[in-house]
């Protein structure tokens, strides 16, 4: 899909945000050069804080060691709106060679959180320039989205961040969408990413005499295969469930049957009822196969982030904002994804919706998937992000 940049300058929000592009680019590139992984974002937080403290009318604080909160209190009647950006990088060795590539070996902004941070700094700039605003705007620069249990959990349930918040929104750049496109959908948007840990306890022995051993590799292979029947035979085809075994470790050499095999994997669901049933559906397979072959087992099911379910009303409002901001040709219905996102924690305390802004373009070589060592952003998407977040904040702040 090719979309002309002409229509991009058509709306006031986009035009205003476009003025900020050189600054947005500078912020994003600084962050890109200096990535820090989850729970280690000390320099990142200090940098964000220094930028916010240079802006008038903002109260800046740090609700946790590596997150930053900026609050703008208005005197006009209105809602308390929370905008969220995540700020952490990933433990990936960057393969990009541009001049602002990571200077931190083994860490990289490969998911676009550098862009999310620049976008929210852009919104903070615009809100700080306003003589007054409706309601109250809280902008949270959240640490540790990439590593369970996630930074959101700590902020939402361990601090006063959400006290009095009426509505919340946030965005993720998406390299698989054309730069400048906005995607939003009501209801189930992102899955709950849970983890499974299985140990098959066999009996070691000589590989030439398997009858005297209990082979945990043969049994583990049965488990890998049979877990797929949980998906295809155990639940309705209309329910969404992914079970992926991603780790299988056993043995040391060719002539020894080992004692044990270690398996790990991920389980993805949207539906709360199915998520509750999933541990037993999976353990039943593990138990049955191990029993059939005389092996023991250990099983652990680790809950990850909650599924991200957008509020229908807020999602519709964001769709209207997108139509006004980027136009009908660039407003699409988001595809639900089995990926996870700890933005879901905020939705436990207030209604809200999460949306995507496209950041892929051929001319900026920015269509690599997220978490790829060559991932990058089309920086024009930063303008779209600011325009959308700024327009959404104003719309959501309107009194009931
Ligand atoms: Ni991300």
């Amino acid at each position: 899909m090719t979309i002309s940049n002409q229509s991009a300058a058509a709306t006031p929000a986009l035009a205003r945000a476009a003025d900020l592009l050189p600054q947005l680019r500078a912020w994003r590139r600084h962050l890109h050069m200096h990535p820090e992984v989850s729970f280690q974002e000390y320099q990142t937080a200090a940098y964000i804080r220094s930028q916010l403290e240079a802006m008038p009318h903002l109260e800046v604080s740090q609700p946790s060691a590596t997150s930053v909160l900026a609050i703008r209190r208005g005197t006009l009647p209105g809602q308390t709106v929370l905008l969220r950006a995540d700020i952490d990088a990933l433990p990936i060795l960057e393969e990009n060679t541009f001049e602002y590539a990571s200077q931190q070996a083994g860490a990289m902004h490969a998911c676009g959180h550098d862009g999310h941070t620049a976008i929210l700094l852009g919104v903070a700039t615009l809100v700080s320039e306003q003589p007054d605003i409706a309601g109250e705007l809280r902008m949270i620069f959240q640490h540790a989205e990439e590593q369970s249990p996630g930074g959101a959990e700590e902020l939402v349930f361990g601090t006063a961040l959400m006290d009095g918040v009426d509505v919340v929104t946030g965005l993720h750049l998406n390299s698989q969408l054309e730069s400048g496109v906005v995607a939003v959908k009501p209801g189930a948007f992102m899955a709950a990413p849970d983890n499974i840990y299985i140990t098959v306890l066999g009996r070691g022995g000589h590989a030439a005499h398997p009858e005297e051993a209990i082979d945990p590799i043969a049994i583990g292979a049965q488990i890998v295969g049979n877990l797929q029947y949980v998906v295809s035979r155990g639940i309705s085809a209309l329910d969404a469930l992914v079970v992926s075994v991603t780790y299988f470790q056993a043995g040391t050499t060719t002539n020894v049957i080992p004692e044990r095999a270690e398996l790990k994997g991920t389980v993805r669901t949207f539906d709360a009822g199915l998520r509750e049933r999933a541990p037993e559906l999976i353990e039943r397979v593990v138990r049955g196969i191990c029993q059939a072959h005389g092996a023991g087992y250990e099983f652990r099911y680790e809950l990850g982030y909650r599924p991200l379910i957008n509020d229908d009303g807020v999602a519709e409002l964001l769709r209207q904002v997108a139509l006004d901001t980027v136009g009908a040709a660039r407003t699409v219905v988001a595809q639900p994804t089995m990926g996870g996102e700890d933005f879901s924690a905020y939705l436990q305390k207030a209604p809200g919706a999460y949306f995507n802004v496209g950041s892929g373009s051929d001319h900026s070589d920015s269509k690599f998937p997220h978490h790829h060592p060559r991932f990058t952003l089309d920086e024009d998407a930063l303008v779209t992000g600011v325009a959308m977040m700024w327009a959404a904040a104003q719309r959501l702040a309107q009194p009931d």
Side-chain angles (χ1 to χ4, degrees), residues 86 111-113 116 145-146 172 341 354 370-371:
D86 44 9
C111 197
H113 300 187
H116 303 169
E145 189 282 324
E146 297 285 4
H172 209 298
E341 167 59 68
Y354 196 61
H370 292 251
H371 297 202

Side-chain angles (χ1 to χ4, degrees), residues 54-266:
M55 299 176 194
H57 304 307
L58 300 182
E59 293 167 34
V60 184
S61 62
Q62 289 197 237
S64 75
T66 56
S67 64
V68 184
L69 172 65
I71 300 180
R72 173 70 200 274
R73 293 180 212 275
T75 62
L76 307 172
Q79 307 284 314
T80 296
V81 180
L82 181 84
L83 304 181
R84 176 269 209 168
D86 44 9
I87 67 171
D88 55 326
L90 285 156
I92 291 175
L93 184 62
E94 179 156 9
E95 288 179 10
N96 287 314
T97 53
F98 40 61
E99 75 277 8
Y100 56 92
S102 171
Q103 295 184 353
Q104 184 69 42
M108 176 188 176
H109 271 292
C111 197
H113 300 187
D114 49 346
H116 303 169
T117 306
I119 288 168
L120 197 51
L121 285 170
V123 175
T125 303
L126 295 182
V127 77
S128 70
E129 288 172 355
Q130 295 284 107
D132 200 355
I133 67 160
E136 178 180 323
L137 186 62
R138 297 183 196 174
M139 291 163 280
I140 182 69
F141 296 82
Q142 181 216 305
H143 59 305
E145 189 282 324
E146 297 285 4
Q147 192 182 314
S148 185
E153 188 78 9
E154 187 180 350
L155 295 174
V156 169
F157 298 102
T159 77
L161 175 67
M162 293 300 288
D163 291 359
V165 170
D166 295 304
V167 61
V168 51
T169 191
L171 65 79
H172 209 298
L173 295 165
N174 184 341
S175 68
Q176 305 308 296
L177 277 176
E178 197 68 27
S179 179
V181 167
V182 174
V184 56
K185 84 174 283 298
F189 185 25
M190 298 181 76
D194 299 335
N195 291 323
I196 48 172
Y197 301 86
I198 301 162
T199 305
V200 179
L201 305 168
R203 186 167 68 231
H206 199 297
H209 300 286
E211 74 281 7
E212 289 167 10
I214 296 174
D215 183 351
I217 294 179
I219 295 167
Q222 293 281 323
I223 290 172
V224 174
N226 267 270
L227 283 180
Q228 295 316 309
Y229 289 91
V230 173
V231 179
S232 71
R233 304 291 90 175
I235 67 153
S236 162
L238 300 175
D239 285 331
L241 173 69
V242 169
V243 179
S244 292
V245 175
T246 54
Y247 177 100
F248 192 134
Q249 184 67 44
T252 51
T253 186
T254 55
N255 60 356
V256 176
I257 291 173
E259 286 278 318
R260 53 170 55 211
E262 306 274 350
L263 288 73
K264 302 178 190 175
T266 189

Side-chain angles (χ1 to χ4, degrees), residues 180-359:
V181 167
V182 174
V184 56
K185 84 174 283 298
F189 185 25
M190 298 181 76
D194 299 335
N195 291 323
I196 48 172
Y197 301 86
I198 301 162
T199 305
V200 179
L201 305 168
R203 186 167 68 231
H206 199 297
H209 300 286
E211 74 281 7
E212 289 167 10
I214 296 174
D215 183 351
I217 294 179
I219 295 167
Q222 293 281 323
I223 290 172
V224 174
N226 267 270
L227 283 180
Q228 295 316 309
Y229 289 91
V230 173
V231 179
S232 71
R233 304 291 90 175
I235 67 153
S236 162
L238 300 175
D239 285 331
L241 173 69
V242 169
V243 179
S244 292
V245 175
T246 54
Y247 177 100
F248 192 134
Q249 184 67 44
T252 51
T253 186
T254 55
N255 60 356
V256 176
I257 291 173
E259 286 278 318
R260 53 170 55 211
E262 306 274 350
L263 288 73
K264 302 178 190 175
T266 189
V267 181
R268 306 287 171 118
T269 52
F270 287 113
D271 180 73
L274 180 55
R275 189 185 190 199
E276 224 165 83
R277 283 168 56 213
E280 174 51 22
L281 286 171
I282 292 166
E283 186 170 5
R284 200 170 64 190
V285 169
V286 175
R287 185 169 56 233
I289 291 172
C290 286
Q291 263 171 10
H293 300 288
Y297 72 93
E298 289 164 0
F299 177 75
R300 186 159 65 86
Y301 192 96
E302 178 186 79
L303 292 175
Y305 303 150
R306 297 167 191 80
L308 197 166
I309 313 293
N310 279 339
D311 179 87
D312 291 355
V314 179
E316 172 55 22
L317 201 142
L318 289 175
R319 193 181 71 85
Q320 297 288 341
V321 169
L323 290 171
D324 292 347
T325 305
V326 298
R330 293 176 185 234
T331 302
V332 302
V333 179
Q335 294 298 313
T337 156
M338 299 312 282
E341 167 59 68
D342 77 349
F343 182 82
S344 53
Y346 299 93
L347 301 179
Q348 305 305 303
K349 290 284 183 89
Y354 196 61
F355 63 100
N356 281 170
V357 168
S359 64

